[in-house]
């Protein structure tokens, strides 16, 4: 799991941690995460952020088009 994926999973914005802070670590059963599309994002940008492929996101979400809408929630397969 990448640092970016761990930050996303825990809702963190920076790499800084506090003493005693607890992090959630995904288990084998947590193979997917949710992503809310923001302005200017594309499938390739989102795929790169999570270390997956555009085709995996398209397949997981059964998308018929590569067009995304701001606010759309995507299920991201995490490898």
């Amino acid at each position: 799991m990448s640092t970016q994926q761990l930050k996303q999973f825990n809702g963190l914005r920076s790499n800084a941690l506090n003493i005693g802070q607890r992090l959630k670590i995904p288990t084998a059963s947590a193979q997917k995460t949710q992503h809310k599309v923001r302005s200017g994002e594309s499938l390739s940008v989102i795929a790169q952020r999570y270390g997956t492929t555009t085709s995996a996101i398209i397949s997981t979400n059964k998308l018929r088009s590569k067009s995304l809408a701001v606010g759309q929630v995507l299920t991201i397969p995490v490898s």
Side-chain angles (χ1 to χ4, degrees):
M1 167 168 268
S2 71
T3 302
Q4 184 65 29
Q5 290 169 327
L6 190 58
K7 284 170 43 180
Q8 179 71 27
F9 191 77
N10 285 278
L12 302 173
R13 292 181 183 232
S14 76
N15 291 342
L17 298 175
N18 297 314
I19 294 173
Q21 183 176 355
R22 294 179 183 257
L23 295 177
K24 294 183 276 181
I25 307 295
T27 61
S29 62
Q31 295 291 321
K32 298 177 184 172
T33 191
Q34 301 291 314
H35 177 82
K36 189 172 185 178
V37 178
R38 293 178 228 147
S39 180
E41 287 186 321
S42 65
L43 280 172
S44 60
V45 167
I46 295 168
Q48 184 176 17
R49 177 177 298 148
Y50 291 97
T52 188
T53 64
T54 57
S55 57
I57 295 172
I58 290 169
S59 175
T60 299
N61 291 278
K62 299 182 175 126
L63 300 177
R64 294 182 183 181
S65 161
K66 291 185 178 183
S67 297
L68 299 176
V70 173
Q72 180 177 359
V73 177
L74 298 172
T75 300
I76 309 297
V78 179
S79 52

